[in-house]
Amino acid sequence: MVSSPTPTEVLDVVGRLEAEKGIPEQMRADVRLLGRLLGHILSESGSAGLFEDVERLRAATIEAYTDPTSDAFDRAVEIVGGFTPERADEVVRAFTVYFHLVNLAEEHHRVRVLRERDGASPRDPRGTVAGAYAALVDEVGEDAALKGVEGLEFHPVFTAHPTEARRRAVSTSIRRLSELLGELEAGPRGGGAEKRTQRGMLEEIDTLWRTSPIRRDKPSPLDEVRTVMNVFDDTLFTTVPEIYRHVDDAVRGTGTGGAAPVVKPFVRIGSWVGGDRDGNPFVTAEISRSAAAIASDHVLHGLERATQRVGRGLTLSEASTPPSADVEALWERLRGLDEESAAEIAKRSPGETHRAVMLMLSRKITATRERNADLAYRAPEEFLADLRVVQDSLVAAGAARQAYGELQDLIWQAETFGFHLTELEVRQHSAVHAKVLAELESGSVRSELTEEVLEVFRTIADVQERFGLRAAGRYIVSFTQSAEDLANVHRLARHAVGASGTPPVLDVIPLFETFDDLQAAPGIMAEIVDHPEFASRLEATGRKLEIMLGYSDSSKDVGPVAATLALYEAQADIAEWARAKDIELTLFHGRGGALGRGGGPANSAILAQPPHSVDGRFKLTEQGEVIFARYGDPDIAQRHVDQVAAAILTAGAPSNEARNHGAADRFADVAARMETSSRARFFELVKADGFAPWFATVTPMEEVGLLALGSRPARRGLSVESLEDLRAIPWVFAWTQARINLAGWFGLGTALQSVGDEQVLRDAYAEWPLFRTMIDNVAMSLAKTDERIAREYLALGDRDDLAGLVLDEMSLTRDWVIRITGGDGLLSNKPVLQRAVKLRSPYVDALSLLQLRALRALRDADETAETDPEVQRLLLLAVSGVAAGLQNTG
């Protein structure tokens, strides 16, 4: 029987861990407060003895983490094995709530630090547009630097990939708790206000504890659309103009507001949510139509409120601020459209023409949302034209601050979001197009699939007609392997509208995913640009072209090291081809949150790109938990976009491009050896007989498919006999859950060993941005692994040869990464990141042990027996908890 630790022993163990982590005092206070409140709830709302069991397991896993020589790991295994099913369920939920609270405390501290930096004098310019612009002015001069700012474009594309294990109800409760934590920090201590706030926090934590962390049913695609809309409503709509204002301040050197801004809107929000139908049968043409309508409704609501707010504030009398003739004419035109509303507004705004016009514009936005044709705008350009009439009038009357204050923010919002909010992108597999075309051109009866594919094109045309060309029109072709795969999209569009119809305006975007496809990309593009419809669209856009690169499948195809190097080479070749053809290239990076899917800090990745592959433009997918981590809080969203914009600006600096080009040449032999050896090592594992079913046995890959994470199926077929049918997302997610993270690092140790020269590799880490980014990302990935727990998962498969291969490569990679980066452990040179990992790892270990308990029970059960629902629930709860603890899961 395992004895319970005394409270003093628990505090001693926890104190040692906190001291080692070096948590800032304010954050430590938040963690302790939230942990104490959680303990109160567990004692109050949990079953008898729950709090004590949680503390026993917590103390054991912390001791095992801080002192690997102790017997604490075995004690933790014994504790978990002794839980009843009901108690195991409660313990998993308790640790999951703890992770949500720790994540909240860390986010709150990040916001605190950002606000302290923002208020500092002078402000720290590192990693900001202000710093990047100043450095660029020094390097290329003010005119060229300003041109770089004017050409900035950052295009995040939100996707609904099923890696966000957190329910929306849980997210809502966490956001309310965050607000209460802010109130507690800002308010007086020791009085009634503090007690009321803490009572509110206890209520929210109790709600978190009582809310099931897993969904009963998979969300529909429209549920996913509405989830993304929360980010827009809560953050993006108000944050985007603040971002532009911040950049304008940086460029001008003084506060803006009294003169016309020099910064053009550079953020464009794309969305695959409701448009990505590659392998998702639930995304139909009707879903895409509804997704566009939902997004439009949200942005029109936002514009309606903002226009009304600006109007109400423009209480400028005609005596002090005479309206221009154009504003007078606009008022007369508006009055003619809606005399009743105009009379009411004029009565409330006597002698305040600018105010009256803005309030009428708000009515026109309402009519647009309600589809009242008599008063509605036909396009956002009409709305912007009216706003600029008012702005010009204010400037002419001497009211520049009113012209370039909140009214400018509204103009920026309308320019960024239009009436569509997100630019809906459609994605479909090239094989589907080929199949449908073969059916159409054979003259056979049209199948349901064919009718649906054709209806998608008609839907794109309808969305463009209703919301404008920017609302839809980008069409991504998955697994592009030939120019014909791209030409097929235009052929299908013509079939959809018939001989007399007009096809929608389409930007057809190839998605190159596998190793072979990446290498073939330049040749395919050289052929397709001469295709009539492609060439016509190229000329219509000023020779702008977009190409998407897939990180996930290339990594699953040849391993993370070879994929990283292949992606770099593909970008360099495509960028060189585009420059020779006088094409303005935008590379679209299909990155996920996890390291095996191209994850990691976006700003460092941008700075490591080949010369001319960025040129002021960066587009990437943002999915799952990454959307809420980067855009869920206004301060963090502003800092993230500032960092990314700074990196985009810096990437095109001659010095940065020369550095990347020089390093790639200098270490070309190193790259070649690493690519060859890492790929061979990866194939040794994944091409071994029986690998696919072994992988499904030693990870919860099959069980992850049971979680109601997203609307999209986890794999393309029903079999796990081949990795070909397995999507890259569950491939990564499953290895992460097993605490192995293989998709992020496997093969790197062998690659570094093949080079062998430690000094050369240290030089590469210091001088070669691509190599440094790869090593840093692998260090993060390995820091989240746990060898003892990995061994337990691998033992489920009864294949010592494959398990040994994984563990040997893990050890080899860890050793080489530490030798290259220096220090006595992983992330020694990244203390903040190291702290974040150490803060969570012992608690993730506890959940992993509970997940293992459930997996063993499932694996040991007779194949003909019914799955124990209690065991299955425990497993799914643990999957959700581990995802919350590790954060960048997929």
Side-chain angles (χ1 to χ4, degrees), residues 507 529-545 581-583:
D507 290 307
V529 291
D530 291 328
H531 183 271
E533 278 125 336
F534 227 89
S536 174
R537 183 60 183 156
L538 200 59
E539 293 308 314
T541 59
R543 299 192 65 76
K544 293 180 179 179
L545 183 66
K581 291 287 187 179
D582 190 30
I583 287 171

mmCIF file of all heavy atoms in Angstrom, residues 507 529-545 581-583:
data_model
loop_
_atom_site.group_PDB
_atom_site.id
_atom_site.type_symbol
_atom_site.label_atom_id
_atom_site.label_comp_id
_atom_site.label_asym_id
_atom_site.label_seq_id
_atom_site.Cartn_x
_atom_site.Cartn_y
_atom_site.Cartn_z
ATOM 1 N N ASP A 507 -9.006 31.966 -58.527
ATOM 2 C CA ASP A 507 -7.556 31.869 -58.378
ATOM 3 C C ASP A 507 -7.278 30.423 -57.983
ATOM 4 O O ASP A 507 -7.526 30.034 -56.833
ATOM 5 C CB ASP A 507 -7.050 32.827 -57.305
ATOM 6 C CG ASP A 507 -7.154 34.273 -57.741
ATOM 7 O OD1 ASP A 507 -6.649 34.593 -58.820
ATOM 8 O OD2 ASP A 507 -7.743 35.073 -56.992
ATOM 9 N N VAL A 529 1.232 28.164 -66.307
ATOM 10 C CA VAL A 529 1.067 29.604 -66.534
ATOM 11 C C VAL A 529 0.763 29.942 -67.992
ATOM 12 O O VAL A 529 0.331 31.059 -68.287
ATOM 13 C CB VAL A 529 2.305 30.415 -66.057
ATOM 14 C CG1 VAL A 529 2.419 30.386 -64.549
ATOM 15 C CG2 VAL A 529 3.565 29.927 -66.740
ATOM 16 N N ASP A 530 0.986 28.992 -68.889
ATOM 17 C CA ASP A 530 0.637 29.224 -70.294
ATOM 18 C C ASP A 530 -0.773 28.751 -70.633
ATOM 19 O O ASP A 530 -1.245 28.944 -71.752
ATOM 20 C CB ASP A 530 1.649 28.506 -71.201
ATOM 21 C CG ASP A 530 3.030 29.144 -71.128
ATOM 22 O OD1 ASP A 530 3.086 30.364 -70.931
ATOM 23 O OD2 ASP A 530 4.032 28.418 -71.255
ATOM 24 N N HIS A 531 -1.453 28.117 -69.660
ATOM 25 C CA HIS A 531 -2.826 27.680 -69.871
ATOM 26 C C HIS A 531 -3.711 28.918 -70.011
ATOM 27 O O HIS A 531 -3.567 29.891 -69.256
ATOM 28 C CB HIS A 531 -3.276 26.820 -68.687
ATOM 29 C CG HIS A 531 -4.638 26.257 -68.826
ATOM 30 N ND1 HIS A 531 -5.772 26.921 -68.399
ATOM 31 C CD2 HIS A 531 -5.079 25.086 -69.345
ATOM 32 C CE1 HIS A 531 -6.842 26.179 -68.645
ATOM 33 N NE2 HIS A 531 -6.445 25.061 -69.222
ATOM 34 N N PRO A 532 -4.637 28.966 -70.984
ATOM 35 C CA PRO A 532 -5.385 30.203 -71.282
ATOM 36 C C PRO A 532 -6.050 30.856 -70.064
ATOM 37 O O PRO A 532 -5.869 32.045 -69.823
ATOM 38 C CB PRO A 532 -6.426 29.743 -72.307
ATOM 39 C CG PRO A 532 -5.792 28.566 -72.974
ATOM 40 C CD PRO A 532 -4.979 27.875 -71.921
ATOM 41 N N GLU A 533 -6.827 30.095 -69.303
ATOM 42 C CA GLU A 533 -7.522 30.706 -68.158
ATOM 43 C C GLU A 533 -6.547 31.129 -67.071
ATOM 44 O O GLU A 533 -6.740 32.152 -66.413
ATOM 45 C CB GLU A 533 -8.565 29.730 -67.595
ATOM 46 C CG GLU A 533 -9.860 29.742 -68.369
ATOM 47 C CD GLU A 533 -10.256 28.367 -68.872
ATOM 48 O OE1 GLU A 533 -9.371 27.511 -69.037
ATOM 49 O OE2 GLU A 533 -11.439 28.179 -69.124
ATOM 50 N N PHE A 534 -5.518 30.334 -66.871
ATOM 51 C CA PHE A 534 -4.501 30.682 -65.880
ATOM 52 C C PHE A 534 -3.785 31.961 -66.297
ATOM 53 O O PHE A 534 -3.594 32.880 -65.485
ATOM 54 C CB PHE A 534 -3.496 29.530 -65.741
ATOM 55 C CG PHE A 534 -3.201 29.163 -64.318
ATOM 56 C CD1 PHE A 534 -3.960 28.217 -63.662
ATOM 57 C CD2 PHE A 534 -2.164 29.766 -63.635
ATOM 58 C CE1 PHE A 534 -3.694 27.868 -62.340
ATOM 59 C CE2 PHE A 534 -1.884 29.430 -62.333
ATOM 60 C CZ PHE A 534 -2.649 28.479 -61.670
ATOM 61 N N ALA A 535 -3.382 32.027 -67.566
ATOM 62 C CA ALA A 535 -2.677 33.206 -68.071
ATOM 63 C C ALA A 535 -3.560 34.450 -68.004
ATOM 64 O O ALA A 535 -3.100 35.551 -67.655
ATOM 65 C CB ALA A 535 -2.211 32.959 -69.503
ATOM 66 N N SER A 536 -4.835 34.286 -68.301
ATOM 67 C CA SER A 536 -5.767 35.409 -68.262
ATOM 68 C C SER A 536 -5.909 35.960 -66.852
ATOM 69 O O SER A 536 -5.896 37.180 -66.631
ATOM 70 C CB SER A 536 -7.137 34.955 -68.785
ATOM 71 O OG SER A 536 -8.089 35.973 -68.634
ATOM 72 N N ARG A 537 -6.049 35.068 -65.882
ATOM 73 C CA ARG A 537 -6.182 35.512 -64.490
ATOM 74 C C ARG A 537 -4.887 36.142 -63.998
ATOM 75 O O ARG A 537 -4.905 37.113 -63.227
ATOM 76 C CB ARG A 537 -6.567 34.317 -63.603
ATOM 77 C CG ARG A 537 -6.816 34.673 -62.138
ATOM 78 C CD ARG A 537 -7.929 35.670 -61.974
ATOM 79 N NE ARG A 537 -8.108 36.047 -60.578
ATOM 80 C CZ ARG A 537 -8.666 37.182 -60.181
ATOM 81 N NH1 ARG A 537 -9.104 38.053 -61.072
ATOM 82 N NH2 ARG A 537 -8.790 37.438 -58.905
ATOM 83 N N LEU A 538 -3.770 35.611 -64.441
ATOM 84 C CA LEU A 538 -2.465 36.154 -64.058
ATOM 85 C C LEU A 538 -2.350 37.616 -64.502
ATOM 86 O O LEU A 538 -1.903 38.485 -63.743
ATOM 87 C CB LEU A 538 -1.365 35.307 -64.689
ATOM 88 C CG LEU A 538 0.047 35.383 -64.087
ATOM 89 C CD1 LEU A 538 0.046 34.989 -62.623
ATOM 90 C CD2 LEU A 538 0.987 34.487 -64.878
ATOM 91 N N GLU A 539 -2.774 37.891 -65.706
ATOM 92 C CA GLU A 539 -2.710 39.266 -66.209
ATOM 93 C C GLU A 539 -3.710 40.169 -65.487
ATOM 94 O O GLU A 539 -3.428 41.328 -65.207
ATOM 95 C CB GLU A 539 -2.972 39.280 -67.719
ATOM 96 C CG GLU A 539 -1.877 38.619 -68.531
ATOM 97 C CD GLU A 539 -0.492 39.153 -68.207
ATOM 98 O OE1 GLU A 539 -0.332 40.396 -68.124
ATOM 99 O OE2 GLU A 539 0.426 38.338 -68.021
ATOM 100 N N ALA A 540 -4.889 39.629 -65.163
ATOM 101 C CA ALA A 540 -5.921 40.432 -64.502
ATOM 102 C C ALA A 540 -5.507 40.852 -63.099
ATOM 103 O O ALA A 540 -5.945 41.890 -62.601
ATOM 104 C CB ALA A 540 -7.228 39.639 -64.445
ATOM 105 N N THR A 541 -4.659 40.063 -62.468
ATOM 106 C CA THR A 541 -4.240 40.366 -61.094
ATOM 107 C C THR A 541 -2.910 41.100 -61.032
ATOM 108 O O THR A 541 -2.358 41.291 -59.937
ATOM 109 C CB THR A 541 -4.111 39.067 -60.279
ATOM 110 O OG1 THR A 541 -3.140 38.208 -60.904
ATOM 111 C CG2 THR A 541 -5.442 38.350 -60.186
ATOM 112 N N GLY A 542 -2.372 41.511 -62.169
ATOM 113 C CA GLY A 542 -1.061 42.145 -62.147
ATOM 114 C C GLY A 542 0.047 41.140 -61.935
ATOM 115 O O GLY A 542 1.038 41.421 -61.261
ATOM 116 N N ARG A 543 -0.158 39.930 -62.491
ATOM 117 C CA ARG A 543 0.806 38.828 -62.431
ATOM 118 C C ARG A 543 1.052 38.372 -60.990
ATOM 119 O O ARG A 543 2.181 38.076 -60.593
ATOM 120 C CB ARG A 543 2.123 39.177 -63.144
ATOM 121 C CG ARG A 543 1.919 39.486 -64.627
ATOM 122 C CD ARG A 543 3.211 39.535 -65.400
ATOM 123 N NE ARG A 543 3.919 38.252 -65.465
ATOM 124 C CZ ARG A 543 3.580 37.223 -66.238
ATOM 125 N NH1 ARG A 543 2.513 37.311 -67.010
ATOM 126 N NH2 ARG A 543 4.306 36.124 -66.253
ATOM 127 N N LYS A 544 -0.028 38.298 -60.234
ATOM 128 C CA LYS A 544 0.052 37.755 -58.877
ATOM 129 C C LYS A 544 -0.297 36.275 -58.908
ATOM 130 O O LYS A 544 -1.235 35.865 -59.590
ATOM 131 C CB LYS A 544 -0.911 38.498 -57.940
ATOM 132 C CG LYS A 544 -0.531 39.949 -57.703
ATOM 133 C CD LYS A 544 -1.516 40.631 -56.773
ATOM 134 C CE LYS A 544 -1.112 42.080 -56.536
ATOM 135 N NZ LYS A 544 -2.065 42.791 -55.650
ATOM 136 N N LEU A 545 0.447 35.498 -58.152
ATOM 137 C CA LEU A 545 0.270 34.045 -58.158
ATOM 138 C C LEU A 545 0.507 33.500 -56.756
ATOM 139 O O LEU A 545 1.399 33.955 -56.047
ATOM 140 C CB LEU A 545 1.247 33.400 -59.137
ATOM 141 C CG LEU A 545 1.158 31.886 -59.331
ATOM 142 C CD1 LEU A 545 -0.168 31.510 -59.983
ATOM 143 C CD2 LEU A 545 2.314 31.387 -60.192
ATOM 144 N N LYS A 581 10.013 35.047 -64.289
ATOM 145 C CA LYS A 581 8.779 35.226 -65.066
ATOM 146 C C LYS A 581 8.064 36.534 -64.710
ATOM 147 O O LYS A 581 6.936 36.755 -65.177
ATOM 148 C CB LYS A 581 7.833 34.047 -64.814
ATOM 149 C CG LYS A 581 8.304 32.724 -65.387
ATOM 150 C CD LYS A 581 8.154 32.727 -66.904
ATOM 151 C CE LYS A 581 8.462 31.357 -67.492
ATOM 152 N NZ LYS A 581 8.298 31.364 -68.966
ATOM 153 N N ASP A 582 8.680 37.358 -63.866
ATOM 154 C CA ASP A 582 8.078 38.625 -63.451
ATOM 155 C C ASP A 582 6.722 38.394 -62.781
ATOM 156 O O ASP A 582 5.734 39.089 -63.040
ATOM 157 C CB ASP A 582 7.920 39.573 -64.640
ATOM 158 C CG ASP A 582 7.528 40.992 -64.203
ATOM 159 O OD1 ASP A 582 7.923 41.383 -63.087
ATOM 160 O OD2 ASP A 582 6.833 41.674 -64.962
ATOM 161 N N ILE A 583 6.679 37.401 -61.909
ATOM 162 C CA ILE A 583 5.448 37.044 -61.193
ATOM 163 C C ILE A 583 5.590 37.452 -59.731
ATOM 164 O O ILE A 583 6.621 37.212 -59.099
ATOM 165 C CB ILE A 583 5.183 35.527 -61.301
ATOM 166 C CG1 ILE A 583 4.715 35.182 -62.717
ATOM 167 C CG2 ILE A 583 4.169 35.064 -60.268
ATOM 168 C CD1 ILE A 583 4.622 33.701 -62.994
#
